[in-house]
Amino acid sequence: MKIKHVQLFPIATPRQTGIANQHVLVKIEAGDSYVGWGEMSDLSHVPMYQFDLPELERMLNQLLGGKDARNLAKIEDDLIRFYPDEGHMYSRSGLVRQGVDLALHDLIGRAEGVPVYDLLGGKLRDRMRVCYPIFRMRSVDEVAPNLQRVADKLTQGFDLIRVYVGANLAADELFLGQFTDRFKGQVEIKSLDFSNLLDWRRSAMALERFDELCDYMLVESGAPRNDIEGLAQLRRRTRRPSSEHVLHLHHGWQLLSAGAVDILNVSPYLLGGLRACERMIALAEAARASVLIGTTQELNLGTAAVAHLAAAARVLDYPGDSTGPHLYTDDAVKNPVRYEKSHLLVPEAPGLGLEVDEEKLKTMTAEAKWTFGVDLAGVLDRTAATRPSAQQG
Ligand code: GAE
Ligand code: MG
Ligand code: MG
């Protein structure tokens, strides 16, 4: 089953929350007629540089052409050498490896007529509870629309949210207090995500206030990026467990051996695919730590891969974050992943379990516009330039 052709298809998809994100779908053809589809998810993060897609496509064809598509170990090893870990949350190397890894798992699953979770050894669960994101508020005027968003999502079955905090504590406190008054008993908060904005002491002081206003399961990214000691300090002072996005295998070991987290936030977009995530989950198991599957808010293909990873994960004791298909207003698949009551269902069809609409994909690729702009707060928080705090300067 030798790889014959790798094609990259950039698409831009608006979110219901008003920003647009660019992704790259990956098509790999092998043998006589085998095809697999993957995804490099959400390129619209800092640092503000983008792939030279024709060059990347040429490179991947040189690197993968003629290789046995079934030899995931060898292909992953090559990709790790050509696209090594970059040590930050929006590693483009991780995305390249994610796109190829997902496409090869899809291709092999389709060739064998089995869902990807079968290639991971079988499933321990057929769904994973997930939470809907309430993006960061930088003005108290952003509280009411977000409370309405919680109510709207509750009508669609989402009874779990996560809240990005730390930029405007007055807005955070107003939201969390009113959330409790209005939704206690109907909707839970999975995490308060500081996105590495504050030093650990200011995070701890904010949490003292938040603890009076609401209940929540865990705290994420409560210290500056790479401040492992700061995370450990915060962890020693908070009642609830803490999580952090794991950048690579050694980073996972560093976090655990420093006692910096209770939970590893594991994601195929960041670690570079399903195999790397499985190694990270094994590390967590070895340390008797917990795991949650995080997100960059993938499209349907990337979200389906998360569902298969969740199905096979030996350690998975917190809800995940993958709700991209409920955020994006467009995609290029014929049959999206399914959610039931805040749970992402594991697809059962061969491969990742979805069918790409190639005609639609061609149109979306032709129309893909890049919309980065210079609204840094909006890019960091994933919020629209029309938000009140952007108007208030
Ligand atoms: O920090 C997080 O857990 C968020 O999911 C973060 O990754 C988001 O910015 C996400 C998105 O695009 O919404 O990448
Ligand atoms: Mg996070
Ligand atoms: Mg993202």
Side-chain angles (χ1 to χ4, degrees), residues 156-278:
Q156 296 170 25
F158 282 96
D159 60 4
L160 187 68
I161 64 168
R162 63 194 175 115
V163 188
Y164 294 80
V165 295
N168 180 321
L169 297 186
D172 295 342
E173 291 177 24
L174 187 63
F175 175 87
L176 294 173
Q178 292 187 1
F179 168 85
T180 300
D181 295 344
R182 195 163 153 188
F183 297 104
K184 188 174 177 66
Q186 300 176 79
V187 184
E188 293 177 274
I189 297 176
K190 174 204 156 184
S191 59
L192 300 181
D193 193 336
F194 284 88
S195 307
N196 309 112
L197 285 180
L198 303 179
D199 59 72
W200 70 264
R201 198 177 293 279
R202 281 192 291 158
S203 296
M205 290 164 65
L207 288 170
E208 278 172 15
R209 186 74 186 92
F210 297 162
D211 285 352
E212 294 165 8
L213 298 169
C214 65
D215 196 7
Y216 54 93
M217 295 179 190
L218 64 102
V219 179
E220 182 155 292
S221 303
R225 209 165 297 296
N226 297 326
D227 180 3
I228 293 178
E229 176 50 27
L231 279 176
Q233 291 279 8
L234 180 66
R235 179 170 176 248
R236 287 194 279 269
R237 287 166 173 76
T238 50
R239 281 188 303 121
R240 291 177 177 83
S242 61
S243 71
E244 183 55 284
H245 297 263
V246 194
L247 305 175
H248 48 74
L249 200 54
H250 183 61
H251 183 232
W253 180 84
Q254 289 175 313
L255 288 171
L256 294 173
S257 53
V261 295
D262 303 277
I263 307 163
L264 296 183
N265 178 325
V266 175
S267 283
Y269 84 93
L270 179 45
L271 296 171
L274 299 176
R275 291 168 52 86
C277 286
E278 287 207 294

Side-chain angles (χ1 to χ4, degrees), residues 12-315:
T13 46
R15 289 188 186 186
Q16 294 165 3
T17 46
I19 63 169
N21 300 76
Q22 193 174 36
H23 314 260
V24 177
L25 296 198
V26 180
K27 181 179 183 181
I28 296 183
E29 295 167 279
D32 297 338
S33 58
Y34 298 112
V35 178
W37 288 91
E39 177 185 310
M40 300 177 189
S41 307
D42 194 358
L43 299 172
S44 60
H45 282 285
V46 294
M48 295 282 203
Y49 57 72
Q50 288 311 324
F51 291 129
D52 173 343
L53 282 173
E55 184 279 335
L56 179 59
E57 189 175 88
R58 276 194 304 276
M59 175 60 191
L60 289 176
N61 277 288
Q62 282 177 1
L63 191 56
L64 301 178
K67 288 230 169 73
D68 176 2
R70 289 179 187 278
N71 193 344
L72 293 173
K74 175 70 173 92
I75 289 172
E76 181 190 46
D77 190 56
D78 286 343
L79 287 174
I80 286 172
R81 297 172 196 281
F82 281 92
Y83 296 94
D85 296 317
E86 293 174 284
H88 64 85
M89 222 172 117
Y90 297 109
S91 158
R92 295 330 193 247
S93 287
L95 295 183
V96 173
R97 286 183 268 119
Q98 174 205 19
V100 173
D101 177 274
L102 268 51
L104 290 175
H105 277 91
D106 186 45
L107 187 146
I108 297 166
R110 289 167 181 279
E112 309 214 347
V114 297
V116 162
Y117 67 73
D118 250 15
L119 304 179
L120 304 181
K123 67 177 176 181
L124 294 172
R125 55 191 71 79
D126 64 5
R127 62 196 64 208
M128 171 177 71
R129 194 175 184 201
V130 293
C131 61
Y132 186 82
I134 297 299
F135 293 108
R136 187 164 285 111
M137 292 155 273
R138 291 183 183 252
S139 157
V140 292
D141 296 335
E142 292 161 4
V143 168
N146 270 332
L147 289 167
Q148 186 53 49
R149 194 180 303 280
V150 175
D152 295 345
K153 284 304 175 182
L154 179 57
T155 63
Q156 296 170 25
F158 282 96
D159 60 4
L160 187 68
I161 64 168
R162 63 194 175 115
V163 188
Y164 294 80
V165 295
N168 180 321
L169 297 186
D172 295 342
E173 291 177 24
L174 187 63
F175 175 87
L176 294 173
Q178 292 187 1
F179 168 85
T180 300
D181 295 344
R182 195 163 153 188
F183 297 104
K184 188 174 177 66
Q186 300 176 79
V187 184
E188 293 177 274
I189 297 176
K190 174 204 156 184
S191 59
L192 300 181
D193 193 336
F194 284 88
S195 307
N196 309 112
L197 285 180
L198 303 179
D199 59 72
W200 70 264
R201 198 177 293 279
R202 281 192 291 158
S203 296
M205 290 164 65
L207 288 170
E208 278 172 15
R209 186 74 186 92
F210 297 162
D211 285 352
E212 294 165 8
L213 298 169
C214 65
D215 196 7
Y216 54 93
M217 295 179 190
L218 64 102
V219 179
E220 182 155 292
S221 303
R225 209 165 297 296
N226 297 326
D227 180 3
I228 293 178
E229 176 50 27
L231 279 176
Q233 291 279 8
L234 180 66
R235 179 170 176 248
R236 287 194 279 269
R237 287 166 173 76
T238 50
R239 281 188 303 121
R240 291 177 177 83
S242 61
S243 71
E244 183 55 284
H245 297 263
V246 194
L247 305 175
H248 48 74
L249 200 54
H250 183 61
H251 183 232
W253 180 84
Q254 289 175 313
L255 288 171
L256 294 173
S257 53
V261 295
D262 303 277
I263 307 163
L264 296 183
N265 178 325
V266 175
S267 283
Y269 84 93
L270 179 45
L271 296 171
L274 299 176
R275 291 168 52 86
C277 286
E278 287 207 294
R279 290 193 293 272
M280 195 63 74
I281 293 168
L283 175 68
E285 184 175 9
R288 294 203 174 92
S290 297
V291 169
L292 70 88
I293 300 180
T295 190
T296 189
Q297 301 302 355
E298 296 80 3
L299 289 172
N300 276 283
L301 281 170
T303 303
V306 164
H308 287 283
L309 176 67
R314 277 190 49 76
V315 178

